Amino acid sequence: MVFVLVALVVLALLASVHRYVWRRFVGDTTAPGSTLRKVGTVAAFVLPLLSLGAMTSGRIGAPFWLQQVLAWPGFLWLACLLYLTLALLVGEVVRPLLGRVLARRDAAAAARTATGTGTSVPAAEGAVAATASGTRPRTEELVPAGPPRPATPADRTPATAPPAEPEAEPEAVRDAEAAAQAETEAKAATTAPGIAHPSRRLFVSRVVGGAAAAAGLATVGYGTHNVLSGPSVKRVTVPLAKLPRAAHGFRIAVVSDIHIGPILGRAHTRRIVDTINSTSPDLVAVVGDLVDGSVADLGSAAEPLAGLRSRHGSFFVTGNHEYFSGAEQWVNHVRELGLIPLENARVELGGFDLAGVNDIAGETEGQGPDFGRALGDRDRSRAAVLLAHQPVVIHDAVEHGVDLQLSGHTHGGQLWPGNYLAELANPTVAGLERYGDTQLFVSRGAGAWGPPVRVGAPADITVVELASRQA
């Protein structure tokens, strides 16, 4: 029941966001019935359906080719939706400010026009003014006065004669009156307080919408490039009090969250293997979330892992996504590729113990983490390094005397501002922190889940160099 309610809330939120994005990008900027309005409206329905298909196709067992077809547009649209919405929200602040600037500019232009014509009154306007005051415009020429002329019979008009008919109002005067009235009404309509001129409102909507689209899409393009160009290499030195001098400088290449799947395939795996091998590590630690799919669909994409090279081998622990993809089959497959799975197990190396625990997602299958089995009977005078996918098990690591825990899972937030949400669910989102006598290092990961986009959390492979305090 709770799942259904959460799903309904999420769907309602997505529908509201899509409605808002459509209104700002399509409804406010295009004419009703126009081709652009129709295309934008169709996209507002099709794109969310592609996203829904991308998120569910793998879980319902859709053919892998269909998963690949849906994944790129569906997941990329989710990233676009996020950053387009954020850009539009910023635009809501800019929109009224830009409207006021344009209104003041128009008012200033109108004032300058009025000032420039105020000293000269056109003849037609004069005619209108004269008519309005009840006087007739004087059009006769003035002539000099002369001697009085003799009276004529026409001058002796009887007092009872009917008054003369008034002259018809000149047509030019009527036209001038109509023009003046129309101009007054137009000015009142465009300068009424709180009412934006329609053309000005359309201009503001298009400017803000265009800027938001450019910013949002550019951000997604930048983030996609970050993923497809492959992870960078980071280096961190971690001093361990119990590490003997002989193990000083031991280098562990930590890689997590590779997420081989419908989008990131064999070429992605090859880039990661080549990057790891270029660091010449002493040991490779693959810390969970290797895949998003079954061995049948992705086994060949994982095969480049067989090319990993290090002095003491490559080790693997499960992440939560392995349990969505057939964890047992993947454990067997990585073993065939030459990696050593640590399923609640431990190996003793020359200068320290290396342990690994299953991910907590395995508890649903009775295969969760077992710290007692992995660490319970060891010699605590030796340093211990633990591989555990999720940082949240750090308190169990502290209880069992672990010196260093290596984790992933968070992606560093992957899509800003997702890092703030990741902080709510994880003790550490990225980097090295200390919890009592135990240090926790969290990798941002080498791949991406969902949208192949990273913003504010670049992909990385970290070379952790152990340092002895006796050196």
Side-chain angles (χ1 to χ4, degrees):
M1 184 63 180
V2 174
F3 175 79
V4 173
L5 291 176
V6 171
L8 290 175
V9 170
V10 171
L11 288 175
L13 178 61
L14 286 175
S16 300
V17 172
H18 278 87
R19 169 65 181 172
Y20 168 69
V21 170
W22 176 89
R23 182 166 63 88
R24 284 307 191 202
F25 281 124
V26 181
D28 291 350
T29 62
T30 60
S34 66
T35 301
L36 288 176
R37 171 76 62 98
K38 293 176 182 177
V39 171
T41 302
V42 170
F45 284 94
V46 172
L47 290 172
L49 291 177
L50 288 173
S51 297
L52 183 62
M55 290 187 291
T56 60
S57 58
R59 301 292 179 89
I60 64 176
F64 188 64
W65 65 266
L66 181 59
Q67 297 178 41
Q68 291 177 303
V69 168
L70 295 173
W72 269 106
F75 283 126
L76 273 180
W77 171 242
L78 290 178
C80 290
L81 181 65
L82 170 63
Y83 289 108
L84 289 175
T85 302
L86 292 176
L88 285 174
L89 292 176
V90 174
E92 297 299 341
V93 179
V94 177
R95 185 182 299 272
L97 299 178
L98 181 58
R100 291 192 188 101
V101 169
L102 294 176
R104 289 174 182 172
R105 186 196 66 179
D106 293 346
R112 286 195 299 271
T113 302
T115 302
T117 59
T119 57
S120 175
V121 179
E125 292 185 8
V128 173
T131 302
S133 63
T135 62
R136 303 293 302 169
R138 184 173 182 177
T139 60
E140 302 89 355
E141 284 190 15
L142 296 178
V143 296
R149 63 184 177 83
T152 64
D155 294 331
R156 293 190 290 274
T157 305
T160 58
E165 289 291 333
E167 296 182 12
E169 190 173 43
E171 186 177 351
V173 175
R174 291 196 303 272
D175 292 344
E177 288 177 341
Q181 182 178 358
E183 182 178 358
T184 301
E185 292 175 355
K187 288 182 178 179
T190 56
T191 57
I195 301 178
H197 192 282
S199 62
R200 185 190 308 146
R201 184 169 58 248
L202 179 61
F203 175 76
V204 170
S205 295
R206 288 179 173 176
V207 168
V208 173
L217 296 178
T219 300
V220 173
Y222 167 77
T224 303
H225 173 75
N226 282 345
V227 172
L228 298 184
S229 60
S232 60
V233 175
K234 292 177 55 179
R235 298 180 185 274
V236 175
T237 299
V238 181
L240 299 181
K242 301 175 185 177
L243 190 72
R245 181 181 299 180
H248 178 74
F250 192 97
R251 289 170 296 113
I252 305 174
V254 181
V255 59
S256 73
D257 302 281
I258 297 175
H259 286 288
I260 304 169
I263 293 178
L264 302 175
R266 188 183 182 95
H268 173 64
T269 310
R270 171 54 61 191
R271 280 193 299 268
I272 290 171
V273 169
D274 291 344
T275 302
I276 292 174
N277 289 344
S278 70
T279 67
S280 300
D282 297 309
L283 183 147
V284 177
V286 181
V287 196
D289 277 8
L290 173 64
V291 293
D292 285 310
S294 67
V295 173
D297 291 334
L298 299 173
S300 61
E303 287 176 357
L305 293 173
L308 287 170
R309 299 288 179 264
S310 62
R311 288 199 306 153
H312 294 275
S314 300
F315 295 83
F316 169 80
V317 292
T318 56
N320 54 310
H321 282 248
E322 271 72 59
Y323 293 97
F324 306 148
S325 308
E328 184 178 354
Q329 291 83 359
W330 275 110
V331 168
N332 292 332
H333 189 63
V334 299
R335 184 181 287 113
E336 293 170 358
L337 295 176
L339 281 73
I340 303 171
L342 291 176
E343 299 180 274
N344 297 322
R346 180 180 77 253
V347 295
E348 294 184 1
L349 302 177
F352 61 94
D353 294 340
L354 179 69
V357 292
N358 295 342
D359 186 70
I360 57 178
E363 292 175 348
T364 59
E365 302 180 10
Q367 300 176 7
D370 188 338
F371 288 88
R373 179 180 168 190
L375 297 162
D377 58 348
R378 73 178 194 88
D379 180 2
R380 289 206 176 193
S381 66
R382 288 169 54 85
V385 176
L386 174 68
L387 309 184
H389 178 63
Q390 298 197 39
V392 294
V393 300
I394 181 61
H395 303 295
D396 294 289
V398 172
E399 182 181 344
H400 287 83
V402 170
D403 297 277
L404 173 64
Q405 176 178 319
L406 302 175
S407 297
H409 183 64
T410 68
H411 295 210
Q414 184 169 328
L415 297 171
W416 184 91
N419 53 303
Y420 298 111
L421 295 177
E423 288 176 358
L424 300 177
N426 298 277
T428 299
V429 174
L432 183 67
E433 291 186 355
R434 177 178 289 275
Y435 294 82
D437 292 331
T438 302
Q439 297 181 76
L440 169 63
F441 177 78
V442 180
S443 168
R444 290 190 177 94
W449 179 79
V453 181
R454 280 181 172 265
V455 177
D460 64 54
I461 293 167
T462 304
V463 177
V464 175
E465 183 171 334
L466 307 182
S468 172
R469 293 181 177 175
Q470 304 171 21

